[in-house]
Amino acid sequence: MIYFTLPPMLSLAELDEQQQERLVQAMTERRVHPKEVIIKEGEQGDYFYAVDQGKFIASKGGENKFVYDGTGSFGELALLYNSKRAATVMAETEGVLWALDRRSFRTLVVGTMQQRRKRNEAVVQKTPLFKDLTERQLAAVADCLVPETFSPGSIIITQGDTVTSSSKFYIIEQGTVDCFRTKQSKTDGTRGKRKLTRSMGANDVFGEVALLTKVPRQADCVATTDVKCLTMPRDAFERLIGPVEAILSKQIEEYQAMNEEQRRNTGP
């Protein structure tokens, strides 16, 4: 079944049955061998790929960034923007991919994604984190965002969790989220009192610090109302990091300064 390895930013619920059938029929099977390069950074892109079987390593600038292990998809960004490949993907094992050529991708997929882009761009444009991005960069961010909802009391992020392939960062579209930090003893590792460090609402962003620095999650983030978020999966985040890295680094500095000020105000 190909449906489950399509890009998370493309919701099949937005395609009717006939469109889904045309999409599946347009995809062709490609069997690959270990060390085979599927796409190469800097080259023009001709195909979008959905992973069916096997393990694939995505690298950027010679540094490994992400692993696709039996699921996932890649190659859509170059087709969307008629740009060069942003990363290299190489097969680590024997594998099976489903490929969709540029023309079919743009005919069957881009129209649906443009509708979603317009909705997401309206949110992104209101988010201070992205205020310095160009129109093209905003569109790239908007294309990679996936909607998620959380009920009151839901723990969205847990302090101490490590960054994995399923990690995300979040933009709040509606609702409120509270962040709590629990201080850990440096001597015996015991956990102390849990303290509220930040309350967030519409257009606030959280979770990006851990994805950029790869450090464990620094706080519990809990929905205090019904919350609607736009989320970005780690693989998309890694591919887009170049254009927004300086802006995100500034955001981290502000975040850390805020936490330090709150720590001084609340005491040990």
Side-chain angles (χ1 to χ4, degrees):
M1 199 68 155
I2 305 171
Y3 291 174
F4 302 107
T5 55
L6 290 175
M9 69 285 292
L10 172 61
S11 171
L12 286 171
E14 297 180 24
L15 300 179
D16 60 33
E17 186 174 342
Q18 186 177 21
Q19 289 173 317
Q20 291 184 30
E21 182 64 25
R22 288 172 61 200
L23 183 64
V24 171
Q25 290 179 350
M27 299 187 85
T28 57
E29 185 183 64
R30 176 176 171 180
R31 294 185 174 272
V32 299
H33 305 287
K35 307 301 181 182
E36 184 175 342
V37 175
I38 314 303
I39 64 175
K40 188 174 182 179
E41 183 177 358
E43 292 187 349
Q44 292 296 326
D46 295 321
Y47 288 89
F48 156 77
Y49 295 96
V51 178
D52 190 2
Q53 299 174 30
K55 183 179 289 188
F56 300 81
I57 308 296
S59 62
K60 189 176 179 70
E63 180 182 352
N64 290 348
K65 292 291 187 179
F66 192 77
V67 177
Y68 300 94
D69 193 356
T71 187
S73 57
F74 54 87
E76 73 278 7
L77 295 181
L79 303 190
L80 279 170
Y81 308 114
N82 291 315
S83 58
K84 295 180 179 180
R85 295 295 195 187
T88 295
V89 177
M90 183 176 67
E92 188 173 80
T93 66
E94 298 280 347
V96 178
L97 297 168
W98 290 92
L100 187 66
D101 66 86
R102 175 191 290 272
R103 182 176 179 180
S104 297
F105 181 87
R106 296 193 65 84
T107 300
L108 299 171
V109 176
V110 171
T112 299
M113 294 186 71
Q114 285 177 337
Q115 295 175 17
R116 173 173 285 186
R117 177 196 294 174
K118 289 180 181 179
R119 297 195 301 268
N120 290 353
E121 278 184 338
V123 177
V124 172
Q125 288 170 349
K126 298 175 185 176
T127 303
L129 176 63
F130 302 114
K131 63 182 177 64
D132 294 326
L133 295 188
T134 66
E135 184 176 338
R136 186 182 182 89
Q137 290 168 344
L138 284 172
V141 171
D143 281 335
C144 294
L145 294 171
V146 180
E148 289 191 41
T149 58
F150 304 92
S151 58
S154 297
I155 300 175
I156 304 172
I157 288 177
T158 301
Q159 182 177 342
D161 279 358
T162 56
V163 175
T164 67
S165 60
S166 62
S167 298
K168 307 168 187 175
F169 90 90
Y170 303 79
I171 302 173
I172 301 174
E173 192 171 1
Q174 296 175 10
T176 56
V177 175
D178 281 349
C179 293
F180 299 88
R181 294 195 69 178
T182 303
K183 189 173 182 180
Q184 191 169 29
S185 170
K186 294 181 180 179
T187 55
D188 60 9
T190 58
R191 292 169 66 87
K193 187 177 180 181
R194 191 182 192 221
K195 294 182 179 180
L196 175 67
T197 60
R198 186 184 179 194
S199 292
M200 301 178 292
N203 305 318
D204 283 331
V205 175
F206 61 99
E208 79 286 3
V209 175
L211 296 195
L212 187 62
T213 64
K214 307 297 192 301
V215 299
R217 298 293 196 179
Q218 297 297 295
D220 293 329
C221 297
V222 183
T224 56
T225 65
D226 287 319
V227 173
K228 182 179 180 181
C229 287
L230 293 175
T231 72
M232 184 180 290
R234 183 185 167 195
D235 63 333
F237 183 88
E238 294 280 10
R239 287 177 289 164
L240 291 173
I241 190 61
V244 299
E245 186 165 10
I247 300 169
L248 290 176
S249 296
K250 182 179 178 182
Q251 176 78 0
I252 288 176
E253 291 175 3
E254 294 174 354
Y255 177 88
Q256 291 173 331
M258 177 192 67
N259 280 342
E260 179 61 22
E261 181 179 356
Q262 290 173 334
R263 186 191 66 79
R264 290 196 300 268
N265 291 339
T266 57

